[in-house]
Amino acid sequence: MSALASVERDLRAAVAAEVIAPSAAYLTDQTEARGLGGRADAVALPHNTEEVAEVVSWCYAHGVPIVPRGGGTGYAGGAVPLDGGVVISLERLDRVRSFDPLLWRIEVDAGVRTAELRRVAREGGLLFPPDPGAAEQSQIGGNVATNAGGPHAFKYGVTGAWVTGLEVVVPPGEVVQLGGALRKDVAGYDLKHLLVGSEGTLGVITAAWLRLTPAPEAAWPVIGFFDGVRGGVGAIERVVGSGLTAAALEYIDSETMRYAGASFPGEVPGGAFAVLAEADGSTDEAARIRADLLDVFGEDALALYAPESPQEIAALWRWRDGLALVVDAQRGGKASEDIAVPLDRLGEAIEASLEVGRSFGIPACSWGHAGDGNLHTTFLLAGDDDRELELAPKLSEALFELALRLGGTISGEHGVGFVKRNWLAKQLGPRAFELHVAVKRAFDPQNLLNPGKKA
Amino acid sequence: MSALASVERDLRAAVAAEVIAPSAAYLTDQTEARGLGGRADAVALPHNTEEVAEVVSWCYAHGVPIVPRGGGTGYAGGAVPLDGGVVISLERLDRVRSFDPLLWRIEVDAGVRTAELRRVAREGGLLFPPDPGAAEQSQIGGNVATNAGGPHAFKYGVTGAWVTGLEVVVPPGEVVQLGGALRKDVAGYDLKHLLVGSEGTLGVITAAWLRLTPAPEAAWPVIGFFDGVRGGVGAIERVVGSGLTAAALEYIDSETMRYAGASFPGEVPGGAFAVLAEADGSTDEAARIRADLLDVFGEDALALYAPESPQEIAALWRWRDGLALVVDAQRGGKASEDIAVPLDRLGEAIEASLEVGRSFGIPACSWGHAGDGNLHTTFLLAGDDDRELELAPKLSEALFELALRLGGTISGEHGVGFVKRNWLAKQLGPRAFELHVAVKRAFDPQNLLNPGKKA
């Protein structure tokens, strides 16, 4: 650790970027709901890549930890500074550098918000498919750094599948370009994909070249309500087994529906487990897939809901995107994880994860990206009850253990951050974990980039 | 290097795998056409992962280089042993370990041939989209190790996009699992993608978990013939700019057509530049895209060819896949590279690459994966003329220089191998190249895995 008298004052004197005292907004992310908060010495607000490089360079020369920060919407504590150092917030790197709609590509600063990126693409007739929650707050740099997913990852893949190039500041403070406006590149190891999902522990992502795809003419969601986990997971397996290429394939368990049913923009049969699928493509194609989904769901659904108007469809997705907030509001606190399992273990994983809550006497509910085997099981904690908040790590660990037992992963899309760091070695095994650590050391020999995270 | 009296004899005594003396078939790949050949001390033919690990372990303990070998269809010399050591041929690891058609996934040994994998998937109603040339010889392990592409990478992405897990033997001889039957996983750095495209320099891939996708009902190719590079590239840009999601978008320049026109299964206007696009999807969807392609091509095409019968379509793709062989046969030798550039530089890249041939007085032709900006410019060398064969490196280097000048890459899909190794640092820049070398060292501290390749 640094022997500087004042990191904030010294950094301010040394670099062009604005440097401010750490305020609460820069010390937390979504893990605040489980009681996690951090401590930093200063916050740097660079305007461009050169200013980022200057801050990294100064920190590296002075042995000061560096915590890159995007929109702060993470669920793993990845943006929480654990024990001092400088938070580098990318929020002012917010330019679209270039947009070539006729070539299906865009280059953006890391601080461009995900929803803004999607809007710009859409105005050019194109789609940037990844749609993690909190798109109005989250930034593309953070999305890349966590390899964010979302409902449409089922058809379109996660964020990393759309990244063709990255600009990154790596220790001790140099700017490197990994890839670019290229759709194919096998020169050199795939360092770009190594940075994707690295959670700020290998470098600070300052810009990204992204692929885009023509926006589908139509996107129609269909919801089926089923009898319990078995019924719902059976429907999910039938969709996949029928070879239906749904754009999204989500589940919302009956407990989540109990909290969120009142705001659902349609009728909800009591106690039902919901499956949401989306049909997209040309109008004809989307109509065909929608009809097939209704057929497959119809075999044993308790009820169906298939909105057609843009307003109803938008309302349905707003409702889906708001699930986490509705659940948050129930008891004031929560612990939520994002384990993923092979699709054939999905039902077992949902049931066992709910059983974890029961065994601790904590209310639990579960929803997630069914087609990708990705669960968001959430434990509802009383926000003012320290005893319950202290259960958060134990509840999470029971989920991680479950994931590994079922051949899954401790993180499908949120990353490892601080919360899961002790579980990574268990998942990877000793030799792969050694290689993981060796890669970290190759990029960041002083362990100053987001220390205590990811490994 | 090893001080062993006989690597072949000592290895045979030490391991369970069959060990044979190196025969010519194990010392070359497609670079033989430019005069490249290697030398090895022994060839190991393991039957399973444990036998691979045992060979790697023995080699690592004795300081003996290890050259993993798939189907030997590479164009960069990646499988050519440069200066002794043990070739590990994966050909006997040829089992489909598990296939779950209803879950869209398959696990295969590294030595399963690409065409066989595609056949198995197809029998289950599914598609494994990557379709590099020489699919009957190439193996999935080699495809992963080079991140192979092919015509349909335009819509579906390269091999790495379909890999969800790898089993790899890493130094000093341990088996690691990276990922698995999981569609999403952000625990740990993306070591799996690091192995993809690593050309046997980080580990020996012994098995892969692959995603599959429902096979399209229909796939209809359309060929337009245009007036020169400008006309053809204009049509390519119109297809993309119209938001048409073609499954493949290929070009075949007029010089290539001059060699291959006689075997084309239709009429070819003299001197024309050909653009091949494919429409796929449900029957309706493919028909719609096909009609749109014919419209877009029709604006200024000299002629169109749009076969409808399965026999005609198969004949067209056989013709396309055979281009390299037809060109090879012209003068007995060749140097062929696979640079890729941003799509807006495609026309300039094709013209300048042909100009390289003219400036050396060597016949040149060019075809490739237009939509991905990926050129296969080929210089036709007299196979019995040493003076011409000696030009191969100079011709290739002129292409690499061109690629970098246009913001492109020295390799879109063949890899760096031996042929391009001196150009990698130029493309990556000094700091990214240092990181590249550091990653290699982290995996292979003794530099025994395919030494002299990739870096």
Side-chain angles (χ1 to χ4, degrees), chain A residues 102 104-105 154 171 174 183-186 188-189 201 240 282 285 344 372 374 409 411 413 424 431 436 454, chain B residues 102 104-105 154 171 174 183-186 188-189 201 240 282 285 344 372 374 409 411 413 415 424 431 436 454:
Chain A
L102 297 182
W104 305 2
R105 70 187 191 206
F154 179 55
E174 277 154 302
R183 294 173 58 98
K184 284 164 93 176
D185 182 8
V186 287
Y189 302 132
T201 64
V240 176
S282 65
E285 185 70 358
D344 45 323
D372 285 328
N374 192 182
T409 173
S411 182
E413 56 180 20
L424 189 59
R431 182 64 184 129
H436 187 276
K454 193 83 184 177
Chain B
L102 298 181
W104 305 0
R105 71 187 190 208
F154 178 56
E174 277 153 303
R183 294 173 57 98
K184 285 165 91 174
D185 182 7
V186 289
Y189 301 132
T201 65
V240 177
S282 64
E285 185 70 359
D344 46 323
D372 285 328
N374 192 182
T409 173
S411 181
E413 56 181 20
L424 188 60
R431 182 64 184 128
H436 187 275
K454 193 85 185 174

Short mmCIF file of all heavy atoms in Angstrom, two decimals, chain A residues 102 104-105 154 171 174 183-186 188-189 201 240 282 285 344 372 374 409 411 413 424 431 436 454, chain B residues 102 104-105 154 171 174 183-186 188-189 201 240 282 285 344 372 374 409 411 413 415 424 431 436 454:
data_model
loop_
_atom_site.label_atom_id
_atom_site.label_comp_id
_atom_site.label_asym_id
_atom_site.label_seq_id
_atom_site.Cartn_x
_atom_site.Cartn_y
_atom_site.Cartn_z
N LEU A 102 -24.35 1.44 -42.29
CA LEU A 102 -24.36 0.60 -43.49
C LEU A 102 -23.35 -0.53 -43.38
O LEU A 102 -23.35 -1.46 -44.18
CB LEU A 102 -24.08 1.45 -44.74
CG LEU A 102 -25.12 2.53 -45.03
CD1 LEU A 102 -24.77 3.28 -46.31
CD2 LEU A 102 -26.52 1.93 -45.13
N TRP A 104 -22.82 -1.97 -40.22
CA TRP A 104 -23.22 -2.71 -39.02
C TRP A 104 -22.16 -2.61 -37.92
O TRP A 104 -21.87 -3.60 -37.25
CB TRP A 104 -23.46 -4.20 -39.32
CG TRP A 104 -24.45 -4.51 -40.38
CD1 TRP A 104 -25.14 -3.63 -41.17
CD2 TRP A 104 -24.86 -5.82 -40.81
NE1 TRP A 104 -25.94 -4.30 -42.05
CE2 TRP A 104 -25.79 -5.64 -41.86
CE3 TRP A 104 -24.53 -7.11 -40.41
CZ2 TRP A 104 -26.38 -6.72 -42.51
CZ3 TRP A 104 -25.13 -8.18 -41.06
CH2 TRP A 104 -26.04 -7.98 -42.09
N ARG A 105 -21.63 -1.42 -37.67
CA ARG A 105 -20.61 -1.35 -36.63
C ARG A 105 -20.60 0.03 -35.97
O ARG A 105 -21.00 1.03 -36.57
CB ARG A 105 -19.23 -1.70 -37.18
CG ARG A 105 -18.68 -0.69 -38.09
CD ARG A 105 -17.37 -1.13 -38.76
NE ARG A 105 -16.77 0.03 -39.41
CZ ARG A 105 -15.96 -0.02 -40.45
NH1 ARG A 105 -15.61 -1.17 -40.96
NH2 ARG A 105 -15.48 1.10 -40.98
N PHE A 154 -30.06 -15.45 -25.10
CA PHE A 154 -30.40 -16.82 -25.52
C PHE A 154 -30.22 -16.98 -27.03
O PHE A 154 -29.59 -17.92 -27.49
CB PHE A 154 -31.84 -17.16 -25.11
CG PHE A 154 -32.25 -18.54 -25.54
CD1 PHE A 154 -31.51 -19.66 -25.18
CD2 PHE A 154 -33.37 -18.73 -26.35
CE1 PHE A 154 -31.88 -20.93 -25.59
CE2 PHE A 154 -33.74 -20.01 -26.76
CZ PHE A 154 -33.00 -21.11 -26.38
N PRO A 171 -1.55 -1.86 -17.15
CA PRO A 171 -0.40 -1.47 -16.37
C PRO A 171 0.87 -1.52 -17.21
O PRO A 171 0.97 -2.40 -18.07
CB PRO A 171 -0.33 -2.53 -15.25
CG PRO A 171 -1.73 -3.07 -15.15
CD PRO A 171 -2.28 -3.00 -16.55
N GLU A 174 -0.24 2.01 -20.10
CA GLU A 174 -0.18 2.15 -21.55
C GLU A 174 -1.51 1.81 -22.20
O GLU A 174 -2.26 0.98 -21.69
CB GLU A 174 0.90 1.23 -22.11
CG GLU A 174 2.29 1.87 -22.03
CD GLU A 174 3.39 0.84 -21.96
OE1 GLU A 174 3.35 0.02 -21.03
OE2 GLU A 174 4.25 0.85 -22.84
N ARG A 183 -14.28 -8.16 -38.32
CA ARG A 183 -15.20 -9.21 -37.92
C ARG A 183 -14.48 -10.53 -37.65
O ARG A 183 -15.03 -11.42 -37.02
CB ARG A 183 -16.28 -9.40 -38.98
CG ARG A 183 -17.20 -8.17 -39.10
CD ARG A 183 -18.15 -8.30 -40.27
NE ARG A 183 -18.95 -9.48 -40.16
CZ ARG A 183 -20.21 -9.52 -39.69
NH1 ARG A 183 -20.78 -8.41 -39.25
NH2 ARG A 183 -20.87 -10.64 -39.65
N LYS A 184 -13.25 -10.66 -38.13
CA LYS A 184 -12.47 -11.89 -37.90
C LYS A 184 -11.02 -11.51 -37.67
O LYS A 184 -10.48 -10.65 -38.37
CB LYS A 184 -12.54 -12.79 -39.14
CG LYS A 184 -13.82 -13.54 -39.30
CD LYS A 184 -13.96 -14.08 -40.70
CE LYS A 184 -13.45 -15.49 -40.82
NZ LYS A 184 -13.70 -16.02 -42.20
N ASP A 185 -10.38 -12.20 -36.73
CA ASP A 185 -8.98 -11.88 -36.44
C ASP A 185 -8.40 -13.00 -35.58
O ASP A 185 -8.80 -13.17 -34.44
CB ASP A 185 -8.91 -10.53 -35.70
CG ASP A 185 -7.47 -10.11 -35.40
OD1 ASP A 185 -6.53 -10.76 -35.88
OD2 ASP A 185 -7.30 -9.11 -34.66
N VAL A 186 -7.50 -13.79 -36.16
CA VAL A 186 -6.85 -14.81 -35.34
C VAL A 186 -5.34 -14.58 -35.23
O VAL A 186 -4.57 -15.51 -35.02
CB VAL A 186 -7.10 -16.27 -35.82
CG1 VAL A 186 -8.51 -16.68 -35.52
CG2 VAL A 186 -6.78 -16.45 -37.29
N GLY A 188 -2.50 -13.61 -33.01
CA GLY A 188 -2.27 -13.45 -31.58
C GLY A 188 -3.35 -14.14 -30.76
O GLY A 188 -4.42 -14.50 -31.27
N TYR A 189 -3.06 -14.34 -29.49
CA TYR A 189 -4.06 -14.91 -28.60
C TYR A 189 -5.23 -13.94 -28.47
O TYR A 189 -5.08 -12.74 -28.68
CB TYR A 189 -3.44 -15.16 -27.21
CG TYR A 189 -2.25 -16.08 -27.24
CD1 TYR A 189 -1.08 -15.74 -26.60
CD2 TYR A 189 -2.30 -17.28 -27.94
CE1 TYR A 189 0.04 -16.58 -26.62
CE2 TYR A 189 -1.20 -18.12 -27.99
CZ TYR A 189 -0.04 -17.77 -27.33
OH TYR A 189 1.04 -18.60 -27.38
N THR A 201 -9.80 -6.19 -13.58
CA THR A 201 -8.61 -6.70 -12.88
C THR A 201 -7.41 -6.87 -13.80
O THR A 201 -6.31 -7.18 -13.34
CB THR A 201 -8.90 -8.07 -12.22
OG1 THR A 201 -9.19 -9.03 -13.25
CG2 THR A 201 -10.08 -7.98 -11.25
N VAL A 240 -37.21 -25.71 -26.63
CA VAL A 240 -35.87 -25.99 -27.16
C VAL A 240 -35.90 -27.28 -27.99
O VAL A 240 -35.41 -27.31 -29.12
CB VAL A 240 -34.84 -26.08 -26.02
CG1 VAL A 240 -33.47 -26.46 -26.56
CG2 VAL A 240 -34.77 -24.74 -25.27
N SER A 282 -38.30 -11.18 -39.27
CA SER A 282 -39.21 -10.47 -40.17
C SER A 282 -40.63 -10.68 -39.63
O SER A 282 -40.87 -11.60 -38.84
CB SER A 282 -39.09 -11.05 -41.58
OG SER A 282 -39.53 -12.39 -41.58
N GLU A 285 -41.77 -14.18 -40.15
CA GLU A 285 -41.00 -15.14 -39.37
C GLU A 285 -41.41 -15.08 -37.90
O GLU A 285 -41.62 -16.11 -37.24
CB GLU A 285 -39.51 -14.80 -39.53
CG GLU A 285 -38.56 -15.76 -38.88
CD GLU A 285 -38.51 -17.10 -39.58
OE1 GLU A 285 -39.26 -17.32 -40.56
OE2 GLU A 285 -37.74 -17.95 -39.11
N ASP A 344 -30.48 -29.15 -18.83
CA ASP A 344 -31.21 -30.31 -18.30
C ASP A 344 -31.22 -30.35 -16.77
O ASP A 344 -31.91 -31.18 -16.19
CB ASP A 344 -30.66 -31.62 -18.88
CG ASP A 344 -29.15 -31.69 -18.87
OD1 ASP A 344 -28.50 -30.64 -19.10
OD2 ASP A 344 -28.60 -32.77 -18.61
N ASP A 372 -30.70 -20.18 -21.19
CA ASP A 372 -29.27 -20.24 -20.93
C ASP A 372 -28.97 -20.95 -19.61
O ASP A 372 -27.82 -20.94 -19.15
CB ASP A 372 -28.67 -18.83 -20.92
CG ASP A 372 -28.52 -18.25 -22.32
OD1 ASP A 372 -28.28 -19.05 -23.26
OD2 ASP A 372 -28.65 -17.03 -22.50
N ASN A 374 -29.66 -20.02 -16.68
CA ASN A 374 -29.13 -18.98 -15.80
C ASN A 374 -30.19 -18.54 -14.79
O ASN A 374 -31.20 -17.95 -15.17
CB ASN A 374 -28.69 -17.80 -16.68
CG ASN A 374 -27.85 -16.76 -15.98
OD1 ASN A 374 -27.48 -15.76 -16.60
ND2 ASN A 374 -27.54 -16.94 -14.70
N THR A 409 -21.90 -23.11 -13.09
CA THR A 409 -20.94 -22.06 -12.78
C THR A 409 -21.48 -21.15 -11.69
O THR A 409 -22.70 -20.94 -11.60
CB THR A 409 -20.59 -21.22 -14.02
OG1 THR A 409 -19.77 -20.11 -13.63
CG2 THR A 409 -21.84 -20.67 -14.71
N SER A 411 -21.18 -18.07 -11.68
CA SER A 411 -21.69 -16.83 -12.26
C SER A 411 -21.97 -16.98 -13.75
O SER A 411 -21.09 -17.26 -14.54
CB SER A 411 -20.70 -15.68 -12.07
OG SER A 411 -21.26 -14.50 -12.61
N GLU A 413 -23.61 -14.35 -15.37
CA GLU A 413 -23.51 -13.04 -16.02
C GLU A 413 -23.10 -11.89 -15.12
O GLU A 413 -22.76 -10.82 -15.63
CB GLU A 413 -24.81 -12.69 -16.74
CG GLU A 413 -26.06 -12.70 -15.86
CD GLU A 413 -27.33 -12.35 -16.65
OE1 GLU A 413 -27.32 -12.47 -17.89
OE2 GLU A 413 -28.32 -11.96 -16.02
N LEU A 424 -14.00 -19.36 -6.73
CA LEU A 424 -13.47 -19.53 -8.09
C LEU A 424 -12.54 -20.74 -8.17
O LEU A 424 -12.64 -21.54 -9.10
CB LEU A 424 -12.73 -18.25 -8.51
CG LEU A 424 -12.31 -18.22 -9.97
CD1 LEU A 424 -13.53 -18.36 -10.88
CD2 LEU A 424 -11.56 -16.94 -10.27
N ARG A 431 -5.25 -26.57 -11.16
CA ARG A 431 -4.33 -26.18 -12.24
C ARG A 431 -4.91 -25.02 -13.06
O ARG A 431 -4.19 -24.08 -13.40
CB ARG A 431 -4.05 -27.40 -13.13
CG ARG A 431 -3.06 -27.11 -14.27
CD ARG A 431 -1.68 -26.73 -13.77
NE ARG A 431 -0.80 -26.37 -14.86
CZ ARG A 431 -0.08 -25.24 -14.90
NH1 ARG A 431 -0.12 -24.39 -13.88
NH2 ARG A 431 0.70 -25.00 -15.92
N HIS A 436 -5.16 -19.08 -14.15
CA HIS A 436 -5.92 -17.85 -13.94
C HIS A 436 -5.06 -16.82 -13.20
O HIS A 436 -4.93 -15.66 -13.61
CB HIS A 436 -7.18 -18.21 -13.14
CG HIS A 436 -8.16 -17.10 -12.98
ND1 HIS A 436 -8.04 -16.14 -11.99
CD2 HIS A 436 -9.26 -16.77 -13.67
CE1 HIS A 436 -9.05 -15.29 -12.10
NE2 HIS A 436 -9.79 -15.65 -13.10
N LYS A 454 -12.29 -11.03 -8.34
CA LYS A 454 -12.17 -12.02 -9.41
C LYS A 454 -11.29 -13.22 -9.03
O LYS A 454 -11.49 -14.30 -9.55
CB LYS A 454 -11.60 -11.36 -10.69
CG LYS A 454 -11.69 -12.18 -11.95
CD LYS A 454 -13.04 -12.05 -12.59
CE LYS A 454 -13.22 -12.92 -13.81
NZ LYS A 454 -14.57 -12.82 -14.35
N LEU B 102 -31.89 -32.63 -28.22
CA LEU B 102 -32.99 -31.82 -27.68
C LEU B 102 -32.47 -30.64 -26.87
O LEU B 102 -33.22 -29.74 -26.52
CB LEU B 102 -33.92 -32.69 -26.83
CG LEU B 102 -34.62 -33.82 -27.58
CD1 LEU B 102 -35.55 -34.59 -26.65
CD2 LEU B 102 -35.41 -33.27 -28.77
N TRP B 104 -29.49 -29.09 -27.91
CA TRP B 104 -28.64 -28.35 -28.83
C TRP B 104 -27.17 -28.37 -28.43
O TRP B 104 -26.48 -27.36 -28.49
CB TRP B 104 -29.07 -26.88 -28.95
CG TRP B 104 -30.49 -26.64 -29.34
CD1 TRP B 104 -31.46 -27.56 -29.58
CD2 TRP B 104 -31.11 -25.36 -29.52
NE1 TRP B 104 -32.63 -26.95 -29.91
CE2 TRP B 104 -32.46 -25.60 -29.87
CE3 TRP B 104 -30.67 -24.04 -29.41
CZ2 TRP B 104 -33.36 -24.57 -30.11
CZ3 TRP B 104 -31.56 -23.01 -29.66
CH2 TRP B 104 -32.90 -23.27 -29.99
N ARG B 105 -26.67 -29.53 -28.02
CA ARG B 105 -25.27 -29.56 -27.62
C ARG B 105 -24.63 -30.92 -27.89
O ARG B 105 -25.31 -31.94 -27.93
CB ARG B 105 -25.12 -29.16 -26.15
CG ARG B 105 -25.61 -30.20 -25.21
CD ARG B 105 -25.60 -29.72 -23.76
NE ARG B 105 -25.87 -30.84 -22.89
CZ ARG B 105 -26.43 -30.78 -21.69
NH1 ARG B 105 -26.78 -29.63 -21.18
NH2 ARG B 105 -26.62 -31.88 -20.98
N PHE B 154 -20.07 -15.56 -41.71
CA PHE B 154 -20.66 -14.22 -41.85
C PHE B 154 -21.91 -14.08 -40.98
O PHE B 154 -22.07 -13.13 -40.23
CB PHE B 154 -20.98 -13.92 -43.31
CG PHE B 154 -21.62 -12.57 -43.50
CD1 PHE B 154 -21.00 -11.42 -43.05
CD2 PHE B 154 -22.85 -12.44 -44.12
CE1 PHE B 154 -21.57 -10.17 -43.21
CE2 PHE B 154 -23.45 -11.20 -44.28
CZ PHE B 154 -22.81 -10.06 -43.83
N PRO B 171 0.82 -27.79 -19.89
CA PRO B 171 2.07 -28.12 -19.21
C PRO B 171 1.90 -28.02 -17.70
O PRO B 171 1.14 -27.17 -17.23
CB PRO B 171 3.03 -27.04 -19.72
CG PRO B 171 2.43 -26.56 -21.01
CD PRO B 171 0.95 -26.68 -20.82
N GLU B 174 -1.02 -31.69 -17.24
CA GLU B 174 -2.28 -31.86 -16.51
C GLU B 174 -3.49 -31.58 -17.40
O GLU B 174 -3.42 -30.78 -18.33
CB GLU B 174 -2.31 -30.92 -15.31
CG GLU B 174 -1.57 -31.52 -14.12
CD GLU B 174 -1.04 -30.44 -13.21
OE1 GLU B 174 -0.27 -29.59 -13.70
OE2 GLU B 174 -1.40 -30.45 -12.03
N ARG B 183 -24.07 -22.53 -21.38
CA ARG B 183 -24.18 -21.50 -22.41
C ARG B 183 -23.66 -20.15 -21.93
O ARG B 183 -23.41 -19.26 -22.75
CB ARG B 183 -25.64 -21.39 -22.87
CG ARG B 183 -26.13 -22.66 -23.59
CD ARG B 183 -27.61 -22.60 -23.89
NE ARG B 183 -27.96 -21.45 -24.67
CZ ARG B 183 -28.11 -21.45 -26.01
NH1 ARG B 183 -27.97 -22.56 -26.68
NH2 ARG B 183 -28.44 -20.35 -26.64
N LYS B 184 -23.53 -19.98 -20.64
CA LYS B 184 -23.02 -18.72 -20.08
C LYS B 184 -22.12 -19.04 -18.90
O LYS B 184 -22.45 -19.89 -18.08
CB LYS B 184 -24.18 -17.85 -19.58
CG LYS B 184 -24.96 -17.17 -20.66
CD LYS B 184 -26.27 -16.65 -20.12
CE LYS B 184 -26.20 -15.24 -19.60
NZ LYS B 184 -27.56 -14.75 -19.24
N ASP B 185 -21.01 -18.31 -18.78
CA ASP B 185 -20.10 -18.56 -17.67
C ASP B 185 -19.11 -17.39 -17.58
O ASP B 185 -18.29 -17.22 -18.47
CB ASP B 185 -19.34 -19.88 -17.91
CG ASP B 185 -18.40 -20.24 -16.78
OD1 ASP B 185 -18.40 -19.56 -15.74
OD2 ASP B 185 -17.64 -21.22 -16.94
N VAL B 186 -19.22 -16.57 -16.55
CA VAL B 186 -18.24 -15.50 -16.37
C VAL B 186 -17.44 -15.67 -15.09
O VAL B 186 -16.92 -14.70 -14.53
CB VAL B 186 -18.84 -14.08 -16.41
CG1 VAL B 186 -19.26 -13.73 -17.82
CG2 VAL B 186 -20.00 -13.92 -15.44
N GLY B 188 -14.12 -16.48 -13.57
CA GLY B 188 -12.74 -16.57 -14.05
C GLY B 188 -12.56 -15.93 -15.40
O GLY B 188 -13.52 -15.62 -16.11
N TYR B 189 -11.30 -15.69 -15.75
CA TYR B 189 -10.98 -15.14 -17.07
C TYR B 189 -11.39 -16.15 -18.13
O TYR B 189 -11.46 -17.35 -17.87
CB TYR B 189 -9.48 -14.84 -17.17
CG TYR B 189 -9.00 -13.88 -16.13
CD1 TYR B 189 -7.86 -14.14 -15.38
CD2 TYR B 189 -9.68 -12.70 -15.87
CE1 TYR B 189 -7.42 -13.27 -14.41
CE2 TYR B 189 -9.25 -11.81 -14.91
CZ TYR B 189 -8.12 -12.10 -14.17
OH TYR B 189 -7.68 -11.23 -13.21
N THR B 201 -0.04 -23.72 -28.96
CA THR B 201 1.10 -23.13 -28.25
C THR B 201 0.84 -22.95 -26.75
O THR B 201 1.75 -22.58 -26.01
CB THR B 201 1.49 -21.76 -28.84
OG1 THR B 201 0.40 -20.85 -28.63
CG2 THR B 201 1.79 -21.87 -30.33
N VAL B 240 -25.16 -5.65 -47.56
CA VAL B 240 -25.02 -5.32 -46.13
C VAL B 240 -25.82 -4.06 -45.80
O VAL B 240 -26.59 -4.03 -44.83
CB VAL B 240 -23.53 -5.16 -45.75
CG1 VAL B 240 -23.38 -4.74 -44.30
CG2 VAL B 240 -22.78 -6.47 -46.02
N SER B 282 -36.24 -20.50 -42.26
CA SER B 282 -37.43 -21.27 -42.62
C SER B 282 -37.62 -21.12 -44.12
O SER B 282 -37.07 -20.20 -44.74
CB SER B 282 -38.65 -20.72 -41.87
OG SER B 282 -38.90 -19.40 -42.30
N GLU B 285 -38.76 -17.67 -44.99
CA GLU B 285 -37.74 -16.66 -44.70
C GLU B 285 -36.63 -16.71 -45.75
O GLU B 285 -36.19 -15.68 -46.28
CB GLU B 285 -37.17 -16.94 -43.30
CG GLU B 285 -36.19 -15.92 -42.79
CD GLU B 285 -36.84 -14.60 -42.45
OE1 GLU B 285 -38.07 -14.46 -42.63
OE2 GLU B 285 -36.10 -13.70 -42.03
N ASP B 344 -15.28 -1.74 -45.32
CA ASP B 344 -15.19 -0.61 -46.25
C ASP B 344 -13.85 -0.53 -46.97
O ASP B 344 -13.68 0.29 -47.87
CB ASP B 344 -15.50 0.71 -45.52
CG ASP B 344 -14.78 0.84 -44.19
OD1 ASP B 344 -14.65 -0.19 -43.49
OD2 ASP B 344 -14.35 1.94 -43.84
N ASP B 372 -17.11 -10.76 -44.21
CA ASP B 372 -16.21 -10.64 -43.07
C ASP B 372 -14.93 -9.89 -43.43
O ASP B 372 -13.99 -9.84 -42.63
CB ASP B 372 -15.87 -12.02 -42.52
CG ASP B 372 -17.01 -12.63 -41.71
OD1 ASP B 372 -17.76 -11.84 -41.08
OD2 ASP B 372 -17.17 -13.86 -41.69
N ASN B 374 -12.63 -10.78 -45.40
CA ASN B 374 -11.55 -11.77 -45.31
C ASN B 374 -11.15 -12.23 -46.71
O ASN B 374 -11.91 -12.89 -47.41
CB ASN B 374 -12.08 -12.95 -44.48
CG ASN B 374 -11.04 -13.95 -44.04
OD1 ASN B 374 -11.37 -14.94 -43.41
ND2 ASN B 374 -9.77 -13.74 -44.39
N THR B 409 -5.96 -7.30 -40.29
CA THR B 409 -5.19 -8.30 -39.56
C THR B 409 -4.43 -9.20 -40.53
O THR B 409 -4.91 -9.44 -41.64
CB THR B 409 -6.10 -9.15 -38.65
OG1 THR B 409 -5.33 -10.22 -38.08
CG2 THR B 409 -7.27 -9.78 -39.43
N SER B 411 -4.17 -12.26 -40.19
CA SER B 411 -4.87 -13.54 -40.33
C SER B 411 -6.33 -13.44 -39.90
O SER B 411 -6.63 -13.15 -38.75
CB SER B 411 -4.19 -14.64 -39.52
OG SER B 411 -4.90 -15.86 -39.71
N GLU B 413 -8.41 -16.17 -40.53
CA GLU B 413 -8.88 -17.49 -40.12
C GLU B 413 -7.86 -18.61 -40.15
O GLU B 413 -8.10 -19.67 -39.60
CB GLU B 413 -10.12 -17.91 -40.93
CG GLU B 413 -9.93 -17.91 -42.42
CD GLU B 413 -11.21 -18.33 -43.17
OE1 GLU B 413 -12.30 -18.23 -42.58
OE2 GLU B 413 -11.10 -18.75 -44.33
N GLY B 415 -4.65 -18.45 -38.95
CA GLY B 415 -3.71 -18.39 -37.84
C GLY B 415 -2.36 -17.84 -38.26
O GLY B 415 -2.12 -17.54 -39.44
N LEU B 424 3.49 -10.55 -36.16
CA LEU B 424 2.54 -10.41 -35.07
C LEU B 424 2.84 -9.16 -34.23
O LEU B 424 1.93 -8.39 -33.91
CB LEU B 424 2.55 -11.67 -34.20
CG LEU B 424 1.46 -11.72 -33.15
CD1 LEU B 424 0.08 -11.67 -33.80
CD2 LEU B 424 1.60 -12.97 -32.30
N ARG B 431 3.40 -3.13 -26.56
CA ARG B 431 2.88 -3.51 -25.24
C ARG B 431 1.93 -4.71 -25.33
O ARG B 431 2.00 -5.63 -24.51
CB ARG B 431 2.18 -2.31 -24.59
CG ARG B 431 1.64 -2.58 -23.19
CD ARG B 431 2.75 -2.89 -22.18
NE ARG B 431 2.22 -3.23 -20.88
CZ ARG B 431 2.54 -4.34 -20.19
NH1 ARG B 431 3.41 -5.20 -20.69
NH2 ARG B 431 2.02 -4.55 -19.01
N HIS B 436 1.08 -10.67 -24.89
CA HIS B 436 0.96 -11.92 -25.63
C HIS B 436 2.06 -12.90 -25.20
O HIS B 436 1.79 -14.06 -24.87
CB HIS B 436 1.07 -11.60 -27.12
CG HIS B 436 0.79 -12.74 -28.04
ND1 HIS B 436 1.75 -13.66 -28.39
CD2 HIS B 436 -0.34 -13.12 -28.67
CE1 HIS B 436 1.21 -14.55 -29.20
NE2 HIS B 436 -0.05 -14.25 -29.40
N LYS B 454 3.20 -18.85 -33.72
CA LYS B 454 2.27 -17.88 -33.13
C LYS B 454 2.97 -16.63 -32.57
O LYS B 454 2.35 -15.58 -32.50
CB LYS B 454 1.44 -18.55 -32.01
CG LYS B 454 0.25 -17.76 -31.54
CD LYS B 454 -0.95 -18.00 -32.39
CE LYS B 454 -2.13 -17.14 -32.03
NZ LYS B 454 -3.24 -17.30 -32.97
#
